Amino acid sequence: MLFQNREGSIPASWAWKKIMRFAIITVAVIGFAALLWPSSPPRYNAMHAYSNVTISSNVECDLDVEMLHRLDVRKLVAYTRREMVLDFTADPLPIRQGIKQPLLDTKWKPSASEPEPGQSLDGCTVRTPMQVQVVQPPKMAVAPHIDFGVATSIGRLNDSLDQFAHWAGYTRTRIFALIEPDETKEGVAYVRAKAENLGINLLITESEDDYLHRYFALIPLLEEHTREQTQWACIIDDDTFFPSMSALVDALAKYDHTKPMYIGGLSEGTPQIAVFGIIAFGGAGVFLSRPLLSDLATVYDECEQMTYTGDRRIANCIYQYTTTRMTIDHRLHQLDLMKDASGFFESGRELPLSVHHWKSWFNADMPKLSVISELCGDTCLLRQWQFSDGYLLTNGFSVVKYGFPPESGDLSMEMTWEPHNGANQESYLHELGPLRRKDEMKESYLLQDAKVEGNGHVTQWYVKRDSILGDEVLELSWRKR
Ligand SMILES: *[C@@H]1O[C@H](CO)[C@@H](O)[C@H](O)[C@H]1NC(C)=O
Ligand SMILES: *[C@@H]1O[C@H](CO)[C@@H](O)[C@H](O)[C@H]1NC(C)=O
């Protein structure tokens, strides 16, 4: 109170004097500057402003301002376009391939005798397309033997359809959604229709239970709906994402579905395991073979009384009432990584079977990352090319240049995330090792958008952010050879 009174008690005439003095000085400064200003400022300093986007005059091509808005670019200092041509092969390829050509060096030419490729006339496009090899995509996955269960709300389910479409669309798998009652009723009808359009077999059940009870109630729901071909039931979170359904089907085929099996992933951080236990962490997907599902349905009422809820209740129910133990599949990922998970996605390791937390703990837009699979299948996702100018493309995720490049053949993962819950580097070794320190000098263009174009092209936009100097955009336009 006292403080406020003192502030408020400054006399009005004093404030006016201050404003007048400021105005006079400002006028004088502007006048002086106008006298000294060069009559024509150097061209490279000029910035064009289109609506509220500022474009540096270094950018010599015409750009769609709407597109820049979509990429959330306010100030643009460089724009490079390059055509990427996919060359399919039946032979196996390493996930990371070296290419003896630069990705971004526009002056480069294949040999002295050939004409200078330089930049094309529009000033942004690298004239020579870049040809890269990818493996022949696998056949469309068929998965009527796996049923998925998710406890969520109608709004979140609606938001999840695009990501479900990537892995569940047209695979004949079924997704059972247990949602809180939808008051409007129109929501359910809308979501059902949209799922059908995307080729997703979505079965929605409404329930009065709260979230954690609904989660456990997925067990009897899935058990009730088993059909002859059902081998596996999988409980997921609404942000569990499977990059490749065919990889998942192949991975499950290695386990014996006729025995009671409880398959999942642990947290990547040991402090999380210390809190929650040796359980299949829900975000990675909890896989139950049909015999185990039947066992659990017989002890459902007992387990409903158990203290803990959610994925922990499933684990405790299995451990207390059966002799089945967890089988860890290290490709199923809860992804308990805070803020920046780029080290995980840029590691050049085998494609993960599941990922999670990609729109909460960190940001990596999985549906957009997956757009490129429309052209070259799931085997194309996160595939890497190391170019001679130091740039490393991780397809769908990023284009980076390390300040401290790892030696070739180094499969360590850069620890880019923030340790969580008292973790240190050692806490992550059991799932993610070998690890190396975060590269503070890494230059990163991150995927911001991707689109299937009408002409058999997929376009990806990668953006390098700099809030002071301005952003640089790299547009890759992919087609088959
Ligand atoms: C920039 O303009 C677009 C449309 O012209 C608008 O949607 C957007 O909100 C504007 N952004 C800012 C920061 O003013
Ligand atoms: C579902 O999302 C769309 C936009 O993608 C929105 O127009 C629609 O109102 C949403 N419906 C519900 C039920 O949330």
Side-chain angles (χ1 to χ4, degrees):
M1 264 334 243
L2 182 65
F3 192 65
Q4 271 179 9
N5 282 342
R6 277 169 60 192
E7 271 212 315
S9 69
I10 295 170
S13 60
W14 185 86
W16 268 111
K17 265 187 220 155
K18 211 174 162 183
I19 290 167
M20 284 308 290
R21 207 178 300 154
F22 179 71
I24 290 164
I25 290 170
T26 307
V27 168
V29 167
I30 291 173
F32 194 59
L35 277 177
L36 296 183
W37 207 257
S39 48
S40 62
R43 190 173 177 272
Y44 56 82
N45 269 344
M47 293 281 232
H48 306 292
Y50 298 99
S51 89
N52 52 12
V53 182
T54 313
I55 300 179
S56 154
S57 63
N58 296 340
V59 179
E60 288 172 358
C61 55
D62 286 330
L63 293 169
D64 174 5
V65 178
E66 275 309 303
M67 178 262 294
L68 293 174
H69 278 307
R70 216 177 55 235
L71 300 179
D72 199 23
V73 169
R74 298 281 154 73
K75 188 172 167 189
L76 179 74
V77 288
Y79 198 97
T80 310
R81 273 194 198 109
R82 187 148 200 189
E83 194 172 30
M84 305 293 287
V85 180
L86 292 160
D87 192 3
F88 290 94
T89 167
D91 302 327
L93 289 171
I95 289 174
R96 184 181 300 171
Q97 298 170 69
I99 303 258
K100 291 194 184 70
Q101 288 177 29
L103 179 66
L104 295 185
D105 180 2
T106 52
K107 304 286 183 296
W108 183 85
K109 51 183 177 170
S111 73
S113 59
E114 287 180 57
E116 182 79 50
Q119 293 206 320
S120 72
L121 294 178
D122 79 354
C124 289
T125 310
V126 180
R127 193 172 277 162
T128 31
M130 172 67 73
Q131 194 154 322
V132 295
Q133 274 201 318
V134 289
V135 290
Q136 209 53 260
K139 281 208 292 284
M140 177 83 114
V142 183
H145 59 302
I146 314 173
D147 286 337
F148 291 85
V150 61
T152 186
S153 65
I154 191 66
R156 290 181 62 108
L157 186 60
N158 187 33
D159 293 342
S160 304
L161 290 178
D162 286 340
Q163 88 212 28
F164 288 173
H166 171 71
W167 53 270
Y170 303 101
T171 60
R172 289 162 48 206
T173 195
R174 299 185 297 177
I175 301 178
F176 292 86
L178 200 48
I179 61 163
E180 58 209 29
D182 170 33
E183 307 301 342
T184 66
K185 298 294 159 204
E186 289 150 32
V188 170
Y190 177 94
V191 169
R192 279 204 178 108
K194 189 170 169 195
E196 201 175 314
N197 271 331
L198 293 167
I200 307 170
N201 285 328
L202 181 66
L203 297 99
I204 302 175
T205 309
E206 293 176 50
S207 154
E208 298 282 350
D209 285 342
D210 65 29
Y211 172 73
L212 290 165
H213 283 90
R214 264 183 288 133
Y215 186 93
F216 196 61
L218 286 168
I219 294 214
L221 182 75
L222 289 168
E223 206 272 336
E224 240 170 70
H225 287 89
T226 49
R227 47 186 181 177
E228 203 182 326
Q229 63 263 56
T230 308
Q231 297 178 359
W232 299 98
C234 175
I235 296 176
I236 56 172
D237 286 358
D238 56 18
D239 58 344
T240 301
F241 185 82
F242 299 101
S244 169
M245 193 61 156
S246 38
L248 183 66
V249 168
D250 290 350
L252 283 178
K254 302 214 166 77
Y255 299 108
D256 188 351
H257 67 88
T258 65
K259 302 247 162 59
M261 293 287 293
Y262 169 47
I263 304 169
L266 287 171
S267 172
E268 290 75 13
T270 46
Q272 294 292 99
I273 299 174
V275 173
F276 295 99
I278 311 278
I279 66 167
F281 279 67
V286 180
F287 290 84
L288 310 168
S289 66
R290 188 170 178 167
L292 181 62
L293 187 66
S294 313
D295 288 350
L296 293 184
T298 63
V299 291
Y300 180 75
D301 291 337
E302 288 87 328
C303 294
E304 258 285 277
Q305 308 304 316
M306 295 180 104
T307 315
Y308 295 114
T309 52
D311 46 5
R312 221 169 163 185
R313 179 174 287 171
I314 292 181
N316 288 343
C317 182
I318 294 171
Y319 297 156
Q320 179 62 27
Y321 292 100
T322 80
T323 52
T324 305
R325 290 297 168 264
M326 178 186 176
T327 300
I328 299 171
D329 190 309
H330 296 284
R331 290 171 72 198
L332 294 171
H333 281 287
Q334 163 83 1
L335 281 195
D336 279 341
L337 305 180
M338 275 291 191
K339 267 211 156 129
D340 179 0
S342 60
F344 175 82
F345 291 100
E346 292 161 356
S347 66
R349 300 190 190 168
E350 202 177 8
L351 193 66
L353 289 177
S354 62
V355 297
H356 176 236
H357 278 155
W358 47 275
K359 47 183 172 179
S360 49
W361 289 32
F362 59 89
N363 274 312
D365 191 324
M366 288 299 137
K368 281 186 180 153
L369 181 144
S370 305
V371 168
I372 188 67
S373 66
E374 298 288 326
L375 210 55
C376 49
D378 303 337
T379 42
C380 210
L381 299 179
L382 301 177
R383 186 160 275 283
Q384 295 185 317
W385 292 280
Q386 175 72 64
F387 299 95
S388 64
D389 52 0
Y391 286 100
L392 173 70
L393 164 61
T394 301
N395 203 358
F397 187 81
S398 67
V399 175
V400 302
K401 190 181 211 167
Y402 291 110
F404 305 95
E407 303 208 345
S408 81
D410 180 350
L411 268 188
S412 65
M413 184 181 288
E414 185 194 357
M415 195 174 147
T416 51
W417 54 92
E418 286 185 1
H420 174 63
N421 222 347
N424 56 25
Q425 176 167 326
E426 195 189 333
S427 315
Y428 298 96
L429 275 178
H430 72 109
E431 280 298 327
L432 303 177
L435 293 169
R436 68 173 188 274
R437 285 172 60 175
K438 183 179 166 100
D439 185 340
E440 301 290 351
M441 306 299 284
K442 181 169 75 169
E443 204 188 298
S444 298
Y445 294 78
L446 296 176
L447 184 86
Q448 188 69 33
D449 201 6
K451 263 193 175 163
V452 180
E453 313 279 5
N455 53 359
H457 278 63
V458 166
T459 308
Q460 296 172 325
W461 288 268
Y462 296 88
V463 182
K464 183 169 120 188
R465 302 272 174 206
D466 189 321
S467 56
I468 297 159
L469 297 176
D471 298 341
E472 294 182 29
V473 176
L474 175 59
E475 178 190 314
L476 299 182
S477 172
W478 299 79
R479 65 173 169 86
K480 297 180 188 178
R481 193 165 69 119

